Every structure is written in structure tokens, then in C-alpha cells.
Amino acid sequence: MENLGERLAAVRDRIARAADRVHRDPASILLLAVTKVFPASAIREAYQLGLRDFGENYVQEFDSKAPAVADLAGARFHFIGHLQSNKTRRAAELFHAFQTVDSAKVARRLDEAARPLDIMLEVRLSVEDAKNGADPAELPELIAAVRQCPNLRLTGLMTMPPWSENPEAPRQIFRRLRELGELHGLPQLSMGMSHDLETAVEEGSTCVRIGTALFGKRTKG
Ligand SMILES: *Cc1c(COP(=O)(O)O)cnc(C)c1O
């Protein structure tokens, strides 16, 4: 099995090649290392290889890992899971950024924590994944609600297409997210994961969320 350093180099190379095809600067694409299910030592190892941004899906799980990574200066933790409103208070203490805000209620609860937080709105762009994310038609209202929160800084949009083995399958969804970002003046787009990052980068992603391609297969989560 190759080590994390080799896998990281391979992921960076994939991002660079995809960016090159569409004449984008690879430095404009954040590599978010998704460490859910993996131990705090995985975060530390990735940090030592130069990564600074980490994505976690579960408040409780990260709560238990956070003390072991509290000394990593400059590390930023992004929440990318589904946020339950009873966990927002603790979540606002643990994370710097939230990519999956999809209701004004959750936004206001995060704002109440009185910490400066970066916010992305999760958008639901297919009928198949009917569970999380705001409907595009709800965006104007949601954007206005977040902008009224003094502690929240709205940076962009995020989407998670339905799972498909085919990395081309989500192209239209990624394109639609970019169009919505342009429409609403939100330049940051979190889209693309291990198997479809090339498609996402070609369609304008500014943040790819990579778990499996860096850390290997997850046994749960
Ligand atoms: C787990 C997860 C990822 C990482 O997926 P991989 O296919 O392992 O790269 C990205 N985004 C979200 C929202 C996730 O839950």
C-alpha cells in the first residue's frame, strides 16, 4: 500500500492536470482533506505533509479528536456533515467553517455562538438526494438571512450529487452550482470528491473534498 505522501502527490497531480485543461490556476482550488472515521493521527500526518484544511462530518466524533489536534497551528476544520440544530452550539466552538448550512434556523443558531464563522450554503440539485440542502429557489431568502447574521461570513455554495461510479455523471449538477454562484455573487464552490474531482475542477470548483483518495477506504461512515 502506498503511503499518504504518495497519495497526496497523486491527488495534487490530478487537480493540476484538470485545472490545466481548463486554464485554471491549481492554487485557486482548496484541497480539503476529509478525515471522518479516521483517527486524529491521520489529521496530524496530513498536517505534517502541509495540509491545513480538514473536513469532518460528525460533531461528536470530532469533539473526541479535537484535543489531540489542538496544537496544530493554522489548521482549519470545516464541517461538511448534516448539522442537527441541537448540536450547533458545540459545533460552533469546534469548527471554523460550515459548508452545509441549508436553513435560516441553523444559520441563526450558529450566529448565536458569537464566533466568526465561514459559511457555505448546501444546495440540493437533484431529485434523487431529497434529504439535505436548500432548494435553489430558496437561496435568495437564505442568503439574506445569513447576511443578517453579524458573526457569519457567507463565502459560497456546496453540493453533493447522488453517488455514481461514473465521474462524468455529476457534470450538469456542478455546472448548475457554478451558475447559481454567479447569479448570487458567491465565488466559492465546494464540489468534487475522490472519484469525480476532475469533473468538478473543470466546472469551476474552488474546493474539492477528498477522503478515500488520501486515506483509503472507510470501514464506516
Ligand atoms: C465523506 C465525504 C467526502 C469525501 O468523499 P470521498 O469519496 O471519500 O473522497 C466529501 N464530501 C462529503 C460531504 C462527505 O461526506
Side-chain angles (χ1 to χ4, degrees):
M1 193 68 191
E2 357 158 62
N3 62 32
L4 180 57
E6 287 167 338
R7 288 189 294 238
L8 174 58
V11 168
R12 288 208 198 282
D13 189 56
R14 288 174 59 194
I15 294 170
R17 285 179 200 225
D20 193 52
R21 282 198 289 278
V22 290
H23 312 291
R24 295 186 59 203
D25 178 3
S28 68
I29 301 151
L30 177 69
L31 171 51
L32 182 66
V34 177
T35 47
K36 63 170 173 230
V37 181
F38 289 95
S41 57
I43 298 176
R44 185 168 292 278
E45 194 186 347
Y47 181 92
Q48 281 158 355
L49 290 166
L51 290 169
R52 290 294 177 270
D53 293 86
F54 302 94
E56 288 274 343
N57 290 59
Y58 310 102
V59 176
Q60 231 168 330
E61 180 193 328
F62 185 60
D63 208 353
S64 66
K65 292 192 251 185
V69 294
D71 63 314
L72 301 181
R76 283 174 52 83
F77 297 98
H78 304 242
F79 186 79
I80 60 168
H82 179 63
L83 191 57
Q84 296 162 277
S85 45
N86 63 334
K87 298 241 171 78
T88 49
R89 186 54 67 109
R90 184 62 186 140
E93 294 168 354
L94 289 166
F95 294 96
H96 304 91
F98 289 82
Q99 292 201 348
T100 51
V101 172
D102 63 1
S103 76
K105 183 181 162 199
V106 164
R108 282 193 287 265
R109 287 207 180 217
L110 288 171
D111 188 52
E112 282 166 16
R115 288 165 173 262
L117 300 173
D118 283 349
I119 301 292
M120 284 183 154
L121 303 176
E122 181 175 3
V123 190
R124 186 180 59 228
L125 291 172
S126 72
V127 281
E128 290 147 81
D129 62 341
K131 33 190 207 346
N132 302 325
D135 190 277
E138 299 168 0
L139 278 178
E141 211 175 317
L142 189 50
I143 289 168
V146 174
R147 289 205 167 125
Q148 273 170 14
C149 295
N151 301 302
L152 306 185
R153 191 174 73 107
L154 183 59
T155 62
L157 303 175
M158 177 271 201
T159 200
M160 176 126 170
W163 167 258
S164 166
E165 245 171 54
N166 175 7
E168 277 296 317
R171 188 175 291 278
Q172 291 307 322
I173 288 178
F174 292 157
R175 194 167 293 172
R176 180 93 177 95
L177 193 74
R178 185 185 63 203
E179 288 166 1
L180 286 168
E182 284 165 2
L183 180 66
H184 295 293
L186 295 169
Q188 302 296 320
L189 302 172
S190 174
M191 54 191 201
M193 317 202 307
S194 288
H195 69 296
D196 59 11
L197 73 85
E198 285 88 351
T199 310
V201 167
E202 287 166 9
E203 295 301 332
S205 174
T206 64
C207 172
V208 290
R209 309 180 307 265
I210 308 298
T212 311
L214 290 174
F215 303 104
K217 270 205 163 57
R218 289 178 294 272
T219 50
K220 59 179 168 95

